[in-house]
Amino acid sequence: MAGEIIKVSGLVHRYGDFEAVRGISFTVEEGEVFSFLGPNGAGKSTAINVLTTLLRIQQGSARVAGFDVATEPARVRESIGIVFQEVTLDRDMTCREILEFHGCLYRMPYGERRKRIEELLAVVELDAKRDTLTKHLSGGMKRRLEIARGLMTRPKVLFLDEPTIGLDPQTRRRMWDYIKAVNEEGTTIFLTTHYMDEADQLSDRISIIDHGQIIATGRGWDLKNRLAEDVIYLETTDNGRSQEIVGAMEGVTEVKEKTNGFVVLVNQDGTHLLPRIMDEIRGQGIRIVTVNLKKPSMDDVFVHFTGRNLRDERAERPSAAIARAGSR
Amino acid sequence: MSVQSALPRQLQGQAAGDLMHFGFLTIYWRDMIRFVRFRTLLVSSLVQPALWMAFFGIAMSASFNRLTPDVPPIPGVPTIGYLTFMAAGVIAMTTLFTSLFGGMVLLFDKNWGLLREVMASPLPRDHVIFGIALSGMTKSFIQALIIMVFGMLLGAEFFRGYSAGEVAISVLGILLFVGIFSLGFLFLSAAIAISLESPEGMQGIMTLMTMPIFFASNALYPVNAFPPVLQAVSVGNPLTHLVNGIRYFAIGDRYQAIGVLYTITPSGLLFSLSVLVLFALAMFGLAWWRFQRAVVT
Ligand SMILES: Nc1ncnc2c1ncn2[C@@H]1O[C@H](COP(=O)(O)OP(=O)(O)OP(=O)(O)O)[C@@H](O)[C@H]1O
Ligand SMILES: [Mg+2]
């Protein structure tokens, strides 16, 4: 049943001389949650703007919901919903009016409009604020209202450009739940984010994008497995020699230098390998100062594929914090 | 996958390109909500023309009326006071200003990202133009009616000796001229707004445009004293034709004011109307062209 609902090949987009999107190709299956994970300026919004026909396609081809964005933009527009990165709510309209306006733009019949508005206000828990002007809503409420707006027309594909930016952790989780629920009802979701945990938790597949190019695509665990089975972080009294010793051991795929220590990527169960590694190092008379073992996180995956940290990632989980400390 | 993509392509096209599409009413509705809700804008747009009438009208008519008794009146032709003469001009000018600034809302919408929602929706872009134009026209109608009522309270002799039916027809005639004129300038305003980035820039262009339109017209004084070049400009000036229309319906087809004889024949009136219609069509073309090219992100 599932087919390709988004198909992009060789997409290039320039602003003047600057190439913001540099030849990306990917497909999104119907019914999946697909993420673009990348730092600020990676070209995520530019790609979304082309797919949603706000920017005219310059080079390459893109089909959304079965229609070509270049030749059938009106068809594409009818099939999609968008939640923009920035707030785009009219400050002087009420929540209900915002949804009403949107429904009218898409020519929803009166009765259906009314029904949908009630449903959605309940879903995003804004019932009590229905007649409040949007300028009197909190940031999280605005975001929720925008998501509700994106869902008004039951689009086939919903584009979410950094949907949880600026939300508190609790609201973010609720947002993820909404997004998952919407997806379960059959809407394909295309989302961009620069939060690894968001990409990891929410998406079926992730494309890591940086400097306008897709660097890796796959399922979260797939990307992590591609990197390593386990990640070991070590600090010793002689990191240089320790790295040589460990690098020569069986099961070790890569050793990476860090400021105070080094990271070891291993392709077998780390809980068994770690004691052996420690024995080897100690056997050479080197003292081990710190040791840490973990499964690779999206952070590690990202650092691995792009060669650097996300430029503005915040620490959410201890493991992420450790990885960052280790890579500093 | 879905019913829609299973439909033959022509059928889908029909559904979207449907002529009976009232999407512009959505845009209209939203703009009127804002107009009503934004108190300062509402009040100022209603009070401002009345103030114009009150201060400018009374001051100017006092000085003009002092001058005119020197000019011998033409016998058999009704003489009207300056206040009556200029009240028509004030309606025209107010319509000009309101319409020229009517598209500004698009610029703000664009800068604040609100226009994205509309541009990403299936609503055809000409409906955005129509919606904004319709709401601007509504505002002009309200203002025109206020000036008429307020002007008459101040002593402007509109509809002198008309029967109730004639008054009704005349008011409709005035609104017809005001409507078409305002559409023309609203289209122009929308075209400029969608092409520019900064409200200041738009303000500058508007000011530059209003000056010649305003002064090379018969809104506040007769044009026969103009040098021939200016007179020619005045003939091509939509404002002149709007004023012609308003005076024809409000005052009559033959009258004298400030010592000048005015006659408007039915064919002259039709000519004025045609100029306004052509202007509006041309401006719609311009706006349409600008909107097709507009990129809003
Ligand atoms: N209108 C524009 N004109 C010129 N350059 C632009 C324009 N819009 C974006 N860019 C540039 O294109 C690049 C990609 O921008 P884009 O907004 O697509 O990034 P992004 O991945 O969405 O980033 P963020 O996470 O910060 O939203 C950036 O370097 C940006 O400066
Ligand atoms: Mg972005």
Side-chain angles (χ1 to χ4, degrees):
Chain A
M1 181 63 199
E4 289 167 354
I5 198 153
I6 299 179
K7 183 167 175 57
V8 175
S9 61
L11 181 69
V12 174
H13 201 92
R14 293 184 192 86
Y15 297 106
D17 292 338
F18 178 72
E19 236 178 44
V21 172
R22 295 156 55 188
I24 59 176
S25 305
F26 63 94
T27 57
V28 178
E29 299 289 319
E30 186 166 10
E32 92 176 320
V33 179
F34 182 90
S35 303
F36 262 5
L37 173 66
N40 290 141
K44 305 183 295 291
S45 297
T46 303
I48 279 208
N49 284 340
V50 172
L51 292 182
T52 56
T53 75
L54 278 170
L55 285 175
R56 196 161 302 180
I57 189 165
Q58 295 174 344
Q59 195 179 318
S61 71
R63 293 183 77 81
V64 175
F67 304 108
D68 192 318
V69 297
T71 56
E72 304 159 293
R75 302 262 77 81
V76 172
R77 288 176 197 151
E78 279 165 11
S79 323
I80 61 173
I82 317 170
V83 176
F84 298 103
Q85 183 172 350
E86 298 86 13
V87 172
T88 59
L89 297 173
D90 194 325
R91 294 166 45 81
D92 293 308
M93 287 170 89
T94 66
C95 295
R96 208 190 45 73
E97 284 165 352
I98 291 281
L99 299 180
E100 177 82 20
F101 178 73
H102 194 76
C104 288
L105 279 183
Y106 286 75
R107 297 213 278 165
M108 288 173 78
Y110 177 83
E112 196 187 329
R113 223 159 57 211
R114 281 294 141 100
K115 204 170 127 255
R116 268 318 263 164
I117 290 175
E118 292 313 309
E119 270 173 35
L120 284 169
L121 284 175
V123 168
V124 299
E125 296 165 55
L126 286 174
D127 291 78
K129 301 279 182 185
R130 68 177 60 232
D131 294 319
T132 304
L133 297 181
T134 65
K135 64 178 160 197
H136 297 141
L137 296 179
S138 78
M141 293 174 182
K142 284 183 194 161
R143 211 62 190 142
R144 265 145 54 194
L145 180 59
E146 293 201 305
I147 292 191
R149 182 174 68 181
L151 294 173
M152 263 302 276
T153 56
R154 290 182 187 276
K156 284 200 210 112
V157 187
L158 180 63
F159 290 87
L160 301 167
D161 200 354
E162 316 220 359
T164 63
I165 202 157
L167 299 184
D168 65 52
Q170 202 185 337
T171 314
R172 278 182 80 202
R173 283 195 187 271
R174 266 222 309 275
M175 221 50 137
W176 291 350
D177 292 340
Y178 296 146
I179 295 171
K180 280 180 191 155
V182 168
N183 176 246
E184 267 151 32
E185 286 196 5
T187 299
T188 306
I189 309 247
F190 183 110
L191 86 105
T192 75
T193 182
H194 54 245
Y195 299 127
M196 330 260 182
D197 54 342
E198 184 159 291
D200 209 6
Q201 299 241 343
L202 218 47
S203 12
D204 295 311
R205 283 190 309 136
I206 301 168
S207 271
I208 296 178
I209 177 169
D210 195 16
H211 294 303
Q213 282 173 319
I214 291 179
I215 299 165
T217 302
R219 300 188 176 269
W221 53 263
D222 176 35
L223 288 174
K224 290 175 196 165
N225 280 354
R226 230 189 278 174
L227 178 62
E229 179 90 1
D230 279 310
V231 178
I232 296 166
Y233 175 69
L234 285 159
E235 283 178 29
T236 64
T237 48
D238 187 346
N239 288 329
R241 256 181 63 218
S242 303
Q243 283 183 55
E244 276 171 35
I245 299 162
V246 177
M249 289 179 67
E250 198 190 328
V252 172
T253 48
E254 203 177 336
V255 180
K256 280 194 203 165
E257 169 103 48
K258 299 288 171 188
T259 317
N260 295 318
F262 57 96
V263 167
V264 184
L265 304 182
V266 299
N267 64 6
Q268 45 180 263
D269 187 353
T271 52
H272 290 110
L273 193 56
L274 181 56
R276 297 217 315 268
I277 291 178
M278 291 172 71
D279 287 345
E280 285 285 332
I281 295 174
R282 286 211 196 92
Q284 300 292 318
I286 301 166
R287 208 162 55 80
I288 293 172
V289 184
T290 300
V291 65
N292 177 273
L293 167 75
K294 64 186 182 71
K295 292 278 166 198
S297 64
M298 274 318 283
D299 303 60
D300 301 317
V301 173
F302 190 83
V303 173
H304 176 75
F305 283 111
T306 64
R308 62 200 162 88
N309 271 323
L310 273 180
R311 286 171 220 153
D312 64 344
E313 237 280 293
R314 297 173 317 175
E316 255 100 28
R317 290 162 304 152
S319 65
I322 290 165
R324 237 184 323 283
S327 60
R328 202 165 287 141
Chain B
M1 197 165 68
S2 76
V3 186
Q4 201 188 26
S5 49
L7 282 173
R9 186 118 322 147
Q10 310 90 289
L11 268 182
Q12 289 176 31
Q14 249 172 26
D18 199 345
L19 282 176
M20 296 307 289
H21 188 334
F22 294 106
F24 64 91
L25 288 179
T26 306
I27 304 288
Y28 174 72
W29 168 71
R30 187 232 202 121
D31 203 45
M32 290 316 283
I33 282 188
R34 283 195 287 205
F35 179 59
V36 175
R37 208 159 276 170
F38 205 3
R39 294 270 179 260
T40 37
L41 186 69
L42 178 68
V43 172
S44 72
S45 70
L46 300 185
V47 169
Q48 182 222 15
L51 286 181
W52 255 96
M53 273 309 291
F55 294 117
F56 197 63
I58 292 169
M60 291 284 276
S61 66
S63 48
F64 267 101
N65 287 342
R66 205 171 316 125
L67 297 174
T68 39
D70 302 344
V71 188
I74 304 151
V77 179
T79 305
I80 58 159
Y82 183 70
L83 187 69
T84 310
F85 180 81
M86 75 153 282
V90 171
I91 293 177
M93 274 168 30
T94 308
T95 308
L96 173 68
F97 289 134
T98 301
S99 307
L100 262 181
F101 283 91
M104 190 84 110
V105 61
L106 285 172
L107 187 65
F108 288 121
D109 275 5
K110 190 171 72 168
N111 286 354
W112 292 338
L114 303 185
L115 204 53
R116 280 177 168 192
E117 178 195 5
V118 177
M119 296 302 242
S121 81
L123 183 77
R125 293 188 172 182
D126 44 358
H127 284 252
V128 181
I129 308 175
F130 282 134
I132 288 293
L134 202 60
S135 78
M137 194 169 86
T138 307
K139 293 171 203 169
S140 289
F141 282 167
I142 297 172
Q143 289 182 325
L145 291 171
I146 289 179
I147 300 171
M148 273 189 249
V149 171
F150 193 70
M152 286 164 77
L153 288 179
L154 284 181
E157 296 173 288
F158 274 11
F159 317 124
R160 192 166 60 180
Y162 285 21
S163 70
E166 284 168 334
V167 171
I169 291 173
S170 299
V171 169
L172 288 181
I174 291 173
L175 293 186
L176 174 71
F177 271 76
V178 166
I180 294 172
F181 175 90
S182 73
L183 283 183
F185 279 96
L186 281 158
F187 292 149
L188 174 61
S189 174
I192 296 172
I194 202 72
S195 311
L196 290 185
E197 296 287 329
S198 82
E200 291 79 12
M202 177 143 182
Q203 200 102 32
I205 293 182
M206 298 291 134
T207 312
L208 268 183
M209 282 186 7
T210 45
M211 287 295 181
I213 295 175
F214 177 37
F215 286 111
S217 83
N218 58 355
L220 295 185
Y221 36 74
V223 288
N224 16 18
F226 281 10
V229 180
L230 267 186
Q231 282 195 33
V233 172
S234 158
V235 171
N237 186 347
L239 192 65
T240 296
H241 296 286
L242 172 62
V243 173
N244 279 348
I246 297 174
R247 291 207 177 118
Y248 176 87
F249 286 110
I251 303 170
D253 57 356
R254 196 170 156 80
Y255 56 90
Q256 52 184 326
I258 335 171
V260 179
L261 173 68
Y262 287 86
T263 47
I264 308 173
T265 59
S267 62
L269 186 73
L270 209 60
F271 174 70
S272 286
L273 187 63
S274 315
V275 172
L276 293 184
V277 169
L278 282 180
F279 176 70
L281 288 177
M283 291 305 113
F284 177 72
L286 180 70
W288 189 85
W289 173 65
R290 293 311 308 164
F291 268 71
Q292 293 309 310
R293 260 150 202 74
V295 173
V296 176
T297 57

